[in-house]
């Protein structure tokens, strides 16, 4: 299929018309506006991602399962940690979006500068073309009027052949009209030639401008296409990254064991393996009598007496021997109770 180009399909039959050129400029302006809209869209999306990342980061710092223990606590800690990593990945995604938006802005401004130079050149050519065309048309009108004046003067000479003096006067006017017509013809021809040169210069400039503008349009479409494609790849990659981080939490949850956590709690916080005994019935009156009745004191036992041997016989004592006294009462004791 044959390619279509700007330079082949944006002409006008009117030399002074800029309709085709204006259509191209409007198309470029619309494209530049599209670039701006996509740029603002990506900046807004980056702001959303950044806010979400900061909120998620703050959420990851909140208490979650602080009093939990053992395998489930490890899973909850992993859950918080990966939430923090997800927030950081979203923060990185926001920065990547800002970078892409900046690239689009730089691209748009670069095209703007190139367009500005071309448009200034074309505006100058359009003004020059319009000015020369107007000047040429004015000289054409003058030329046509001078030609009519010359024809009228020639007709006057031919109609008046009787009066010699009057004929000479008419002949003089006819000669002057002829000179004026010839001068007007020269100026008209000169302006037509100049207009032709201006037209050729404008044609060349128009073709070159069309080629530059077409190239810019193609670059813009391709750049926008790649920018949006990259943006979507970033979003897809974020989904993959998020899923990989969440997978770590799932793996941790798979390692969590309900029975192990219960056993860990029992072993760590156990208070005893015997329950309290039953509460017995106590009769009020039975307990009262036992409290008010006579109670015999426990019998007091005398301390043991150590015997060192039999007493000496008094009848065998001599004068010099010690006199021992005897006690006939068998219950006598020097120990008083």
């Amino acid at each position: 299929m044959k390619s279509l180009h700007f330079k082949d399909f944006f002409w006008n039959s009117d030399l002074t018309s800029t309709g085709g050129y204006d259509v191209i400029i409007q198309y470029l302006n619309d494209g530049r506006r599209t670039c701006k809209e996509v740029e603002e869209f990506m900046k807004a999306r980056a702001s959303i991602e950044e806010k979400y990342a900061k909120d998620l980061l703050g959420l990851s710092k909140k208490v979650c399962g602080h009093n939990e223990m053992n395998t489930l606590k490890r899973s909850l800690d992993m859950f918080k940690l990966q939430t923090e990593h997800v927030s950081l990945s979203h923060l990185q995604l926001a920065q990547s979006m800002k970078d892409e938006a900046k690239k689009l802005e730089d691209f748009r401004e670069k095209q703007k500068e190139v367009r500005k130079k071309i448009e200034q050149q074309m505006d100058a050519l359009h003004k020059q073309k319009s000015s020369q065309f107007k000047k040429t048309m004015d000289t054409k009108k003058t030329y046509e009027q001078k030609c009519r004046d010359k024809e009228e003067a020639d007709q006057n000479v031919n109609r008046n052949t009787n009066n010699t003096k009057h004929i000479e006067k008419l002949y003089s006017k006819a000669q002057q009209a002829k000179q004026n017509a010839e001068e007007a013809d020269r100026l008209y021809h000169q302006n037509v030639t100049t207009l032709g040169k201006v037209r050729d210069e404008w044609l060349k400039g128009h073709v070159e401008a069309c080629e530059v503008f077409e190239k810019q349009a193609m670059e813009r479409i391709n750049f926008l296409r790649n920018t949006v494609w990259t943006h979507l790849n970033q979003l897809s990659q974020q989904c993959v990254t998020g899923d990989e981080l969440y997978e770590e939490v799932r793996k941790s949850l798979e390692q969590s064991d309900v029975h192990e956590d219960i056993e860990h709690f029992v072993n760590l916080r156990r208070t005893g393996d015997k329950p309290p005994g039953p509460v017995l019935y106590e009769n009020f009156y039975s307990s009262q009598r036992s409290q008010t009745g006579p109670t015999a004191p426990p019998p007091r036992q005398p301390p043991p007496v150590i015997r060192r041997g039999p007493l000496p016989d008094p009848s065998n004592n001599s004068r010099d021997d010690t006199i021992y006294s005897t006690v006939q009462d068998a219950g006598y004791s020097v120990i008083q109770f």
Side-chain angles (χ1 to χ4, degrees):
M1 182 179 178
K2 183 180 179 181
S3 300
L4 304 181
H5 300 287
F6 289 3
K7 64 181 181 180
D8 298 327
F9 296 96
F10 292 95
W11 299 104
N12 297 99
S13 57
D14 185 0
L15 182 60
T16 60
S17 175
T18 59
Y21 176 82
D22 293 339
V23 170
I24 295 176
I25 293 300
Q26 183 61 45
Y27 174 70
L28 297 178
N29 288 336
D30 293 341
R32 182 169 178 268
R33 189 175 298 108
T34 300
C35 288
K36 181 66 174 178
E37 291 170 352
V38 174
E39 175 191 333
E40 292 177 350
F41 181 93
M42 295 183 66
K43 287 181 178 179
R45 180 59 188 268
S47 297
I48 293 173
E49 289 290 337
E50 186 175 9
K51 183 179 183 301
Y52 175 70
K54 291 180 178 179
D55 291 344
L56 202 59
L57 183 60
L59 180 63
S60 68
K61 302 300 182 182
K62 290 188 176 181
V63 176
C64 180
H66 177 71
N67 296 322
E68 194 53 61
M69 59 182 62
N70 208 37
T71 62
L72 182 57
K73 178 174 178 57
R74 290 195 292 268
S75 296
L76 293 177
D77 290 343
M78 178 64 69
F79 175 55
K80 289 182 58 180
L81 177 63
Q82 298 306 327
T83 300
E84 179 181 354
H85 290 170
V86 170
S87 70
L88 296 177
S89 67
H90 278 280
L91 196 62
Q92 184 178 1
L93 173 62
Q95 185 59 48
S96 298
M97 289 180 177
K98 290 181 180 179
D99 294 340
E100 289 299 318
K102 185 63 170 60
K103 291 179 183 178
L104 182 55
E105 180 182 4
D106 294 341
F107 171 80
R108 179 171 53 83
E109 291 299 321
K110 182 179 178 180
Q111 281 205 335
K112 178 183 177 182
E113 293 300 320
V114 175
R115 273 188 55 194
K116 184 178 181 181
K117 295 179 181 179
I118 300 297
E119 289 180 18
Q120 289 176 348
Q121 295 174 3
M122 291 304 299
D123 288 343
L125 289 175
H126 289 153
K127 291 179 180 179
Q128 183 181 9
K129 180 186 62 172
S130 297
S131 176
Q132 186 60 39
F133 180 80
K134 183 178 182 301
K135 186 176 181 180
T136 301
M137 292 301 101
D138 290 341
T139 56
K140 179 183 178 182
K141 291 179 181 179
T142 302
Y143 162 71
E144 291 174 348
Q145 183 61 43
K146 296 301 181 180
C147 288
R148 284 192 290 269
D149 293 343
K150 175 181 175 299
E151 290 179 354
E152 183 179 357
D154 291 340
Q155 290 176 0
N156 290 332
V157 171
N158 294 330
R159 282 197 300 266
N160 296 278
T161 57
N162 297 327
N163 191 337
T164 304
K165 186 176 180 180
H166 186 59
I167 291 175
E168 291 178 356
K169 186 176 181 181
L170 292 175
Y171 181 77
S172 176
K173 288 183 178 182
Q175 290 297 319
Q176 184 63 43
K178 180 181 179 181
Q179 292 177 1
N180 292 338
E182 290 175 352
E183 179 64 19
D185 178 68
R186 186 186 65 80
L187 291 175
Y188 175 46
H189 189 272
Q190 180 180 348
N191 284 325
V192 169
T193 302
T194 303
L195 180 60
K197 293 179 181 179
V198 171
R199 174 183 174 276
D200 291 341
E201 186 178 359
W202 167 75
L203 288 175
K204 181 181 178 181
H206 181 80
V207 170
E208 292 176 352
C210 286
E211 291 175 346
V212 172
F213 292 157
E214 181 178 336
K215 182 180 178 182
Q216 279 197 333
M218 295 175 66
E219 290 176 348
R220 177 187 62 82
I221 294 172
N222 187 60
F223 194 91
L224 279 177
R225 175 181 176 274
N226 293 338
T227 298
V228 176
W229 196 292
T230 301
H231 178 72
L232 296 177
N233 285 345
Q234 291 173 342
L235 295 176
S236 297
Q237 182 59 46
Q238 175 59 38
C239 294
V240 174
T241 302
D243 187 66
E244 290 175 350
L245 296 173
Y246 295 140
E247 181 63 22
E248 296 299 321
V249 182
R250 286 190 286 265
K251 290 179 180 179
S252 178
L253 290 172
E254 288 176 351
Q255 299 300 320
S256 176
D257 187 280
V258 177
H259 298 290
E260 182 180 344
D261 284 3
I262 295 298
E263 291 177 0
H264 178 80
F265 167 71
V266 171
N267 293 328
L268 182 66
R269 302 290 174 84
R270 63 192 304 170
T271 59
D273 56 358
K274 293 182 180 180
V279 178
L280 301 178
Y281 169 77
E282 296 181 1
N283 187 279
F284 174 78
Y285 296 101
S286 297
S287 61
Q288 189 178 34
R289 283 197 300 271
S290 63
Q291 293 177 2
T292 58
T295 57
R300 299 179 63 182
Q301 298 294 332
V305 177
I306 301 176
R307 298 292 183 178
R308 299 188 177 184
L311 294 176
D313 187 1
S315 60
N316 294 329
N317 289 338
S318 62
R319 182 184 303 176
D320 297 330
D321 295 333
T322 304
I323 298 175
Y324 292 89
S325 61
T326 59
V327 179
Q328 299 298 327
D329 187 0
Y332 172 80
S333 174
V334 294
I335 300 175
Q336 297 297 323
F337 295 98

